[in-house]
Amino acid sequence: MDRFSAVERALRRAAPHALLEAVQEALASFYAADSVDLLMADYAMTILQPVSALPYTAEPLPVHTSAPGRAFGAQEPHVETDRRTGAVTAHLPISVRGDRIGVLSVGLPADAYDPATAHELEDIAEVLGHAIVVAERDTDVYLQARRADRLTLAAEMQWQLLPGRSCSRPEYELGAQLEPAYAIYGDNFDWSTSARHLTLTVTNGMGEGIEAALLTNLAINALRNGRRAGLSLSDQAYLADQAVYGHYHGAAHLSVLLLRFDLATGETEIIDAGSPRMWRLRQGKAEPIELDAQLPLGMFEDTMYTSQRFRVEPGDRLLFVSDGVYNVASPAGEPYSERALVRAMANTRLLPPSQVPRAVLQELSGHRGDIDADDDAMVVCLDWHGRP
């Protein structure tokens, strides 16, 4: 058995909570590693937290100003070399199908690091990422490492409901983020892909705290139920509308934007049920997409929904924002304008979608100043590549 396969086998056999110990022992035995650290990105995507030091006994590393952070941000290995000894520390991004999880840092003697080893370590980081995703069903270790602070109960529910924070396939790349990360309650995003379609749901929640989280959970699971039953987009919306109305009888409702993209052609069905806003960046020009507004989910009984057609072209970037973005005011009371959002889209046009939402929300935070957010804010970014 070659050494890469031996490490892969050790990770498969490890207990869910013991993946770090397994990869440490395997890399020391087969690659002569003298240090191995696993760092997890926190919910706000601002720090990398050491898994081995739970709870909170080691200093987290900032994403933007640390060597592991460079690997995480660029999603490329970053190598540090000790000038005195020649020893190498390789920081390797850990991601699963485009969803950025953290960084694996491996220290090696100078004579133990070569191009073949570098390539194998990248593959080991990828295997470790998949192992973490599976292990999270059975242990809280990695979820604990993602939090720099305690989550509110509403935020705990919302993060568990999300599919991830980024996703990539040859046809598209997706990135999304919610703020305040540790106290979100109503806003939500969801996606699912098949051989033919990408289905994307963007939700602007109503209410505050646990009640908003419960409402969103009901609606998202109703939409998933309809989607997994093979219903049309209109019937998915109808089913979710009836679920929300049946429970709240019109006292609460939910604004949702439903989209289903044909992966082969870019043809898109859209239902705008009182939705978050949608912008398109095409050939450097940013413009809002006006849609046929329909009633939010759960407002009235037996509401019927109809989809409209839209087409995305290779090179298009779509941005979805909730009212927590538009309603933010500066300390002087000035609202965050469409002009500011267009400027933010232009400033982030060279970033990959996984980094765009965080960058836009950071600019929004600068506009708000020291004032605490009174609404959660959501940004979702989709880059469309299409099929040849």
Side-chain angles (χ1 to χ4, degrees):
M1 182 184 297
D2 64 85
R3 61 181 185 173
F4 170 78
S5 298
V7 176
E8 186 178 31
R9 184 177 184 181
L11 286 170
R12 285 204 311 269
R13 292 185 170 185
H17 64 277
L19 294 177
L20 175 59
E21 290 83 353
V23 76
Q24 284 174 331
E25 293 176 8
L27 289 178
S29 298
F30 298 104
Y31 289 84
D34 49 37
S35 67
V36 178
D37 294 307
L38 173 59
L39 308 169
M40 300 291 291
D42 85 312
Y43 287 102
M45 303 288 274
T46 58
I47 63 170
L48 295 168
Q49 185 114 324
V51 170
S52 58
L54 288 175
Y56 319 121
T57 57
E59 284 295 320
L61 301 177
V63 165
H64 298 295
T65 59
S66 66
R70 288 183 62 178
F72 181 79
Q75 286 296 287
E76 295 286 344
H78 176 67
V79 179
E80 295 180 290
T81 303
D82 188 306
R83 293 181 180 180
R84 184 176 59 86
T85 65
V88 167
T89 302
H91 304 289
L92 310 152
I94 300 173
S95 63
V96 178
R97 296 187 176 90
D99 191 15
R100 302 182 298 163
I101 294 175
V103 174
L104 177 67
S105 296
V106 183
L108 299 163
D111 58 358
Y113 190 76
D114 54 39
T117 299
H119 181 71
E120 289 178 12
L121 290 176
E122 288 184 58
D123 289 342
I124 288 169
E126 182 179 352
V127 172
L128 177 59
H130 285 268
I132 289 171
V133 170
V134 174
E136 284 181 343
R137 298 181 305 180
D138 302 309
T139 181
D140 289 333
V141 167
Y142 312 105
L143 292 174
Q144 283 178 287
R146 294 186 184 198
R147 54 195 72 191
D149 200 355
R150 183 173 178 177
L151 293 175
T152 65
L153 178 55
E156 187 84 53
M157 294 171 63
Q158 288 293 71
W159 283 111
Q160 290 298 307
L161 190 63
L162 298 174
R165 283 176 289 192
S166 50
C167 176
S168 64
R169 276 187 54 169
E171 298 89 351
Y172 62 84
E173 292 177 77
L174 265 168
Q177 181 65 16
L178 298 168
E179 290 290 347
Y182 292 86
I184 56 171
Y185 34 88
D187 289 356
N188 183 273
F189 52 84
D190 191 30
W191 57 67
S192 177
T193 189
S194 67
R196 292 184 55 196
H197 297 106
L198 165 67
T199 302
L200 174 63
T201 304
V202 186
T203 305
N204 193 359
M206 171 188 176
E208 298 181 359
I210 191 68
E211 292 301 325
L214 288 169
L215 171 62
T216 301
N217 268 260
L218 174 61
I220 293 299
N221 279 293
L223 288 167
R224 288 175 176 174
N225 181 255
R227 185 184 71 221
R228 292 164 183 170
L231 301 183
S232 67
L233 206 64
S234 297
D235 287 341
Q236 292 174 36
Y238 177 78
L239 177 66
D241 173 73
Q242 290 304 289
V244 174
Y245 184 83
H247 187 77
Y248 291 97
H249 304 290
H253 51 81
L254 204 69
S255 296
V256 178
L257 187 63
L258 299 173
L259 304 98
R260 183 161 65 181
F261 301 86
D262 188 304
L263 297 178
T265 66
E267 289 291 337
T268 308
E269 285 184 84
I270 301 181
I271 293 177
D272 178 356
S275 75
R277 302 192 194 182
M278 173 178 168
W279 286 73
R280 178 178 64 198
L281 185 65
R282 174 178 288 177
Q283 297 179 351
K285 180 183 178 182
E287 58 182 349
I289 302 300
E290 300 298 332
L291 300 169
D292 297 333
Q294 301 179 65
L295 292 173
L297 302 183
M299 183 170 281
F300 299 106
E301 190 174 10
D302 291 328
T303 302
M304 304 303 295
Y305 294 91
T306 57
S307 60
Q308 64 184 107
R309 295 289 175 174
F310 180 77
R311 184 182 180 88
V312 285
E313 299 178 359
D316 281 356
R317 167 168 286 183
L318 302 181
L319 201 73
F320 307 89
V321 295
S322 67
D323 61 8
V325 174
Y326 280 96
N327 291 342
V328 167
S330 70
E334 299 172 351
Y336 190 76
S337 64
E338 289 190 358
R339 182 180 300 176
L341 182 60
V342 170
R343 183 174 62 248
M345 291 179 66
N347 292 341
T348 59
R349 66 188 184 281
L350 299 180
L351 293 177
S354 59
Q355 297 184 35
V356 169
R358 178 65 197 165
V360 172
L361 288 168
Q362 242 178 344
E363 185 168 317
L364 184 70
S365 178
H367 173 82
R368 183 172 57 236
D370 296 331
I371 303 172
D372 291 334
D374 58 4
D375 191 7
D376 43 358
M378 170 189 59
V379 177
V380 179
C381 181
L382 168 67
D383 275 7
W384 188 260
H385 306 308
R387 287 181 179 170

